[in-house]
Amino acid sequence: MGKGSDVAESTSTVTKVPDRRVGITVISFATVLVALYLFQVSTPKQQTEKTKSIAEWKDLPGFSSTHWYLPDEELLGFVEIPAGTFIMGSNPALDRMAYLNEQWSDLRRQGEVDLPRYFIARNETTKAQFARYLAESGQKEWQPTTEQNWNLPAANLSWPEALAYTRWLDQQLRKATDIPNALRIILDSDARVTLPNEAEWEKAARGTDGRIFPWSSSPIDSLANFNAEAPRLVGSKCTQCAWGLHDMAGNVWELTRSPLKNYPWSAEDDAGNLDGDALYVMRGGSYADSLNNIRAAVRGAVDPGARNETIGFRIVISNL
């Protein structure tokens, strides 16, 4: 055959290229199908893993796993501190270990502060309590292990993280239908779960008689975890502290919501217009501190972003 026939034969065997728009449509449709398939496959698995994680919350003696690991007590571990006055600060004539920032003035070494009724946690906030918050707020999964002791105080967290925990717990308590009725009445009285201000902390630590330590004005080594290598389980020390509270001296420093300012103390110091570089008061000393730093009037301070294994917190329900 001639060249013309060859060309005609070749042309008839050439495959026609599809229109570009048709190709894009097919690819997009296939992508959607794959995405839907992956979603259907992965979603049940993710839900199962989440359910399994929450189902693995362990029972801890003395604490309620159904109430965010708060103490299994009538008021979930909150202890009433009655309204009234207490002696705040230090007089170096009575306490030779006193620091200058514990004195109200050169002429007036101590002050009398009047506080309304409030409720403070018997124990420092625990690792289990803080882990429950992280898990339920979607920040971190609960990972139960046999090595981790969940009733150690929560530590190595910042001031904003501690405050965020209190706000989360406040919401959980208000939404719950099975908390003690007495606790619900307290929350309904315009009170909120938060960090204690430093006056609330000091009154809880020293009672109303001006004692130097949470148990008395005499040092008793066996009543506090200090000069030590590590923290102890909450509730391990000072079971005879004021108001029946535990570990108000040593173990871990406890953050407050008060910025560090010179005495006299005022509740107005804790509200609004705070310097962006404010340091926040922490109280009680830690396991790594010496005797002078576990006195009830000691005022430590920390940058709000700092994290340290010696710093934790306890919570209050307060109207202030």
Side-chain angles (χ1 to χ4, degrees), residues 5 17 51 90 92 108 121 129 156 200 217 252 257 262 306 313:
S5 298
V17 178
T51 302
S90 291
R108 186 185 177 199
Q129 291 161 9
N156 201 28
E200 290 172 330
S217 289
V252 291
R257 68 178 187 273
N262 294 331
F313 67 101

Side-chain angles (χ1 to χ4, degrees), residues 11 27 65 86 91 102 107 109 138 152 161 195 222 228 267 274:
T11 303
I27 293 172
S65 60
F86 80 103
N91 183 345
E102 300 166 23
L107 299 177
R109 303 302 175 86
L152 286 170
E161 289 169 331
L195 296 175
S222 62
L274 297 179

